[in-house]
């Protein structure tokens, strides 16, 4: 029988949830005893290199890990006693398409059941098998952004910890937990890359009109260096834009560079090339957080 992970289908009917997963603490506790199979892309990529480095340095959720490629799923079906760190691609009813890094609980596959792989991501993992997932920019992973995998790997584990300890029991408690961290951003330096800002915020001075705390406008490579080494005392901005034309959506997040904890999240439509990055409202929320 397929292991059931208690997941609210209503809460996840849209891709507009960039980081969540199961709410079943027993499922999380059970998964800790598994071996995690890390599925890399077919062929050598910056994503593969950084994912391997991130897992070796930061993966603590399970005691053992193996490495394979996503194409191995065609000949070696998933196993119920293992967990799998893999890329998933999802499309919701409103045709929002996005890629996620996810920890998936293996299951006993039915006769004839196969996993579909497109562009190094699985498209048909049953939602109830997803332990934790986080939105990523798959293209950016191979174009200068792969160091964020160090952050994402930590963030997934933080989510699982909050579920296992009972601090997250549903989407509402998850949202409250992440919102409660907004104020903690002000206790650290906030690093934002120039390309992560919407055109309505042209420079640092425009940010500081609203956000009076420590903030630096950096080159993107500097953010990636901080992500790679887990730089303490720093929070990193992160932007993922999905869709095209009528479905374009902008996800804006802030992570603790050292712990990988998600400190802030907000998303909305980014039509007509508006709100393509952090906007004044993001900095107002952070400034007024208590």
């Amino acid at each position: 029988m397929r292991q059931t992970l208690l997941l609210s289908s209503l809460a996840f009917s849209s891709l507009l949830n960039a980081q969540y997963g199961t709410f079943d603490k027993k499922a999380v506790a059970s998964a800790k005893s598994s071996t995690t199979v890390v599925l890399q892309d077919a062929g050598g990529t910056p994503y593969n290199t950084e994912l391997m480095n991130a897992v070796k340095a930061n993966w603590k959720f399970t005691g053992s890990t193996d490495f394979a490629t996503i194409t191995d799923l065609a000949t070696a079906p998933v196993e119920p006693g293992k967990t799998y760190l893999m890329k998933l691609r999802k499309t919701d009813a409103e045709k929002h398409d996005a890629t996620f890094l996810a920890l998936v609980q293996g299951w006993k596959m039915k006769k004839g059941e196969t996993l579909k792989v497109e562009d190094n991501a699985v498209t048909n993992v049953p939602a109830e098998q997803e332990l934790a997932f986080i939105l990523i920019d798959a293209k950016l992973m191979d174009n200068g952004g792969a160091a964020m995998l160090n952050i994402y790997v930590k963030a997934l584990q933080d989510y699982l910890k909050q579920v296992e300890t009972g601090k997250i029991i549903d989407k509402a408690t998850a949202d409250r937990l992440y919102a409660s961290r907004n104020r903690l951003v002000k206790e650290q330096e906030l690093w934002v890359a120039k390309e992560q800002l919407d055109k309505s915020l042209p420079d640092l001075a425009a940010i500081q009109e609203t956000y009076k705390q420590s903030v630096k406008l950096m080159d993107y490579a500097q953010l990636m260096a901080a992500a790679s080494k887990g730089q303490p005392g720093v929070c990193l901005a992160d932007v993922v834009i999905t869709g095209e034309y009528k479905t374009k959506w902008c996800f804006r997040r802030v992570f603790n560079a050292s712990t990988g904890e998600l400190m802030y999240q907000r998303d909305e439509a980014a039509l007509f090339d508006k709100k393509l990055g952090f906007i004044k409202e993001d900095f107002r929320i952070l400034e007024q957080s208590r």
Side-chain angles (χ1 to χ4, degrees), residues 5-13 17 21-23 127 169-171:
L5 307 179
L6 299 181
L7 183 68
S8 168
S9 60
L10 178 61
F12 298 97
S13 60
N17 297 292
T22 184
F23 302 130
I169 60 174
D170 53 22
K171 184 178 182 297

Side-chain angles (χ1 to χ4, degrees), residues 83-144:
T83 50
Y84 296 81
L85 189 63
M86 65 171 72
K87 281 194 289 191
L88 303 181
R89 182 162 295 113
K90 308 180 189 181
T91 303
D92 67 11
E94 292 157 348
K95 297 184 179 179
H96 295 107
D97 183 84
T99 302
F100 298 80
L101 180 66
L103 184 67
V104 173
Q105 176 65 62
W107 69 96
K108 185 177 181 180
M109 301 181 72
K110 298 177 182 178
K111 185 177 181 180
E113 183 179 7
T114 59
L115 292 178
K116 300 177 183 177
V117 178
E118 297 178 6
D119 295 328
N120 290 302
V122 182
T123 62
N124 65 332
V125 165
E128 63 269 20
Q129 302 306 129
E130 297 171 11
L131 289 164
F133 57 83
I134 187 165
L135 180 70
I136 66 172
D137 185 331
K139 292 182 180 178
L140 192 59
M141 294 296 100
D142 289 329
N143 290 279

